[in-house]
Amino acid sequence: MLSQFFLSKSYSTTFTAWLGLLLVVGHSFFNAYLKYALNQWYERFYDVLQSASVELADLPNATASDQTLALEQEAGLSSSRAHVWSLLGEFCSIIAPALLVHPVARWVRSAWTFCWRMALIQFYTRMWDPNVDPVEGASQRLHEDTQRFASGVEVCLSTILDSVCTVAVFTPILLTLGGEVQCPSPSFQNVFGDGWLFASALILSLIHI
């Protein structure tokens, strides 16, 4: 199942196998980095919104005699509004590559899975002995079994890679927050210390896999 694709005697098949695997792994890292970038963006975006809402709540308190204060608040709001638009533009720049990468990666994965399936079918066909009494439905079983195997490996590999890459990218954040946030379970924090958030994420990733 593995050697006939990744260690095939055909150089083109072997090249396709390893290149496809490299692209699948690269897409998983890209997906994890996209989650990290969006997480950082959400933090800054909602901080700006919170600051602007506080300034807006203070505006009605400015009376006619407080012209200087009102002008300062208006200037602050204008600055916050410009900052929000800037962050929205940054959000578009973050997700724009994904609009192209995700469809292309999906197509590459489908083509890679199909090439794997064809490599298995070609191997089984070469081993076919016409002198042996045929098994009923053998050709159908050949196509169905290879299709199920290739699709199952694709889904399993994608799930494992996404979980591993996501945990790897968020590890520094989890370790930092683990020292700032108190764990609901003191015994759990006693075991893992400041890394209790990382341990929780790792355990949940293993369960998800």
Side-chain angles (χ1 to χ4, degrees), residues 1-5 13 113-127 142 145-147 149-150:
M1 291 295 191
L2 297 175
S3 61
Q4 298 305 319
F5 190 50
T13 301
T113 303
F114 179 76
C115 290
W116 195 342
R117 179 185 174 189
M118 291 302 299
L120 296 179
I121 291 178
Q122 291 171 1
F123 170 71
Y124 292 145
T125 304
R126 289 195 299 269
M127 301 299 293
L142 175 63
D145 289 348
T146 53
Q147 190 271 338
F149 171 78

Side-chain angles (χ1 to χ4, degrees), residues 21-150:
L21 180 62
L22 181 64
L23 293 176
V24 170
V25 174
H27 179 250
S28 296
F29 274 107
F30 171 80
N31 205 19
Y33 172 76
L34 185 64
K35 295 177 184 177
Y36 174 81
L38 287 176
N39 181 74
Q40 297 294 99
W41 180 87
Y42 281 127
E43 179 184 3
R44 290 182 282 114
F45 181 73
Y46 287 112
D47 284 346
V48 171
L49 291 184
Q50 183 179 8
S51 299
S53 64
V54 171
E55 294 178 4
L56 185 62
D58 291 339
L59 275 179
N61 297 328
T63 61
S65 59
D66 299 328
Q67 294 296 329
T68 303
L69 178 59
L71 290 175
E72 291 178 354
Q73 291 174 341
E74 288 289 354
L77 286 176
S78 299
S79 176
S80 298
R81 189 181 301 111
H83 197 180
V84 168
W85 281 109
S86 175
L87 287 173
L88 290 176
E90 184 180 342
F91 176 80
C92 293
S93 66
I94 292 174
I95 64 171
L99 299 178
L100 176 64
V101 171
H102 287 330
V104 172
R106 185 176 181 84
W107 180 86
V108 168
R109 279 169 41 184
S110 299
W112 181 63
T113 303
F114 179 76
C115 290
W116 195 342
R117 179 185 174 189
M118 291 302 299
L120 296 179
I121 291 178
Q122 291 171 1
F123 170 71
Y124 292 145
T125 304
R126 289 195 299 269
M127 301 299 293
W128 195 280
D129 189 354
N131 298 319
V132 178
D133 293 336
V135 178
E136 183 179 358
S139 59
Q140 181 180 357
R141 294 294 306 172
L142 175 63
H143 284 279
E144 287 184 357
D145 289 348
T146 53
Q147 190 271 338
R148 290 174 181 175
F149 171 78

